[in-house]
Amino acid sequence: MKNVIKFCAVALLVFGACKNEKVEKSSEKEGAEIAMNYESYGDKITDENVMSSDEMLAKFSNMKVGDTINAKFASTINEVCSKKGCWMKLPVGEEETMVRFKDYGFFMPLDAKDREVILEGKAFVQETSVEELQHYAEDAGKSKEEIASITESKRELAFEANGVLLKK
């Protein structure tokens, strides 16, 4: 009887260990597949359950200044900060969102314009001051005349990304 119980316990351990190993291999495959298709910045994120830019615009359109939601969406980069890569602008439907990176913790390549991205983080609507808009225009390499023409604050769609996948 004791031998039967020992045999059952050993069999459970063996089968349990095999089952866990299969799960780990599946995760490794997903990680390798993402690494082959994307460059990863910030927190590790996946390419699953991603909204389109039009779906993201629908979410933004229901928000007021100060509202925040967690989101993951895909888009194409319109513009990247030309000095450090510390922000980027992405089309969201017919509008555009300003993306910054959580805790200034990572930057995008300066040549990332027109590349596809998937980002995950917090979407919100904000009122951006004239000074900040002028600063962004300067970072983008705009002329002094273009910078001086910015005289009004702007309601903007904003996003703080904690992780970004940049398509290779």
Side-chain angles (χ1 to χ4, degrees):
M1 182 71 172
K2 287 182 181 180
N3 288 338
V4 171
I5 293 173
K6 287 179 184 178
F7 177 75
C8 289
V10 169
L12 283 173
L13 288 173
V14 168
F15 289 119
C18 291
K19 187 175 183 180
N20 288 340
E21 187 176 316
K22 289 179 184 175
V23 171
E24 287 178 23
K25 285 183 180 179
S26 175
S27 311
E28 288 174 14
K29 278 185 183 178
E30 288 174 13
E33 189 174 304
I34 288 174
M36 283 178 29
N37 297 325
Y38 299 97
E39 296 171 30
S40 180
Y41 298 89
D43 292 350
K44 299 295 179 205
I45 65 171
T46 66
D47 58 353
E48 298 173 354
N49 302 319
V50 177
M51 288 186 283
S52 70
S53 63
D54 290 331
E55 290 171 318
M56 192 65 221
L57 179 61
K59 298 276 187 191
F60 270 125
S61 65
N62 294 325
M63 298 171 68
K64 299 177 189 118
V65 173
D67 289 350
T68 303
I69 61 168
N70 291 321
K72 183 194 292 187
F73 75 101
S75 190
T76 304
I77 300 172
N78 276 350
E79 190 175 351
V80 176
C81 171
S82 64
K83 292 188 178 186
K84 289 185 184 177
C86 58
W87 55 261
M88 61 184 171
K89 292 184 179 181
L90 306 176
V92 181
E94 305 84 41
E95 295 192 42
E96 190 172 64
T97 184
M98 171 64 103
V99 178
R100 292 176 198 83
F101 308 109
K102 185 177 181 188
D103 298 329
Y104 211 56
F106 58 97
F107 305 109
M108 297 304 293
L110 302 180
D111 63 350
K113 184 178 181 194
D114 296 326
R115 291 180 63 190
E116 294 178 34
V117 290
I118 296 173
L119 19 105
E120 185 172 338
K122 296 184 186 307
F124 55 99
V125 177
Q126 69 180 15
E127 194 76 25
T128 305
S129 70
V130 171
E131 294 80 24
E132 199 168 349
L133 290 169
Q134 289 175 336
H135 173 77
Y136 294 141
E138 184 181 335
D139 282 354
K142 304 287 183 188
S143 69
K144 289 185 180 188
E145 293 80 27
E146 288 174 300
I147 295 169
S149 70
I150 300 171
T151 58
E152 293 182 13
S153 62
K154 182 179 176 185
R155 179 185 181 272
E156 287 191 313
L157 309 179
F159 198 90
E160 181 183 79
N162 54 32
V164 177
L165 294 175
L166 180 65
K167 193 158 190 166
K168 289 183 180 178

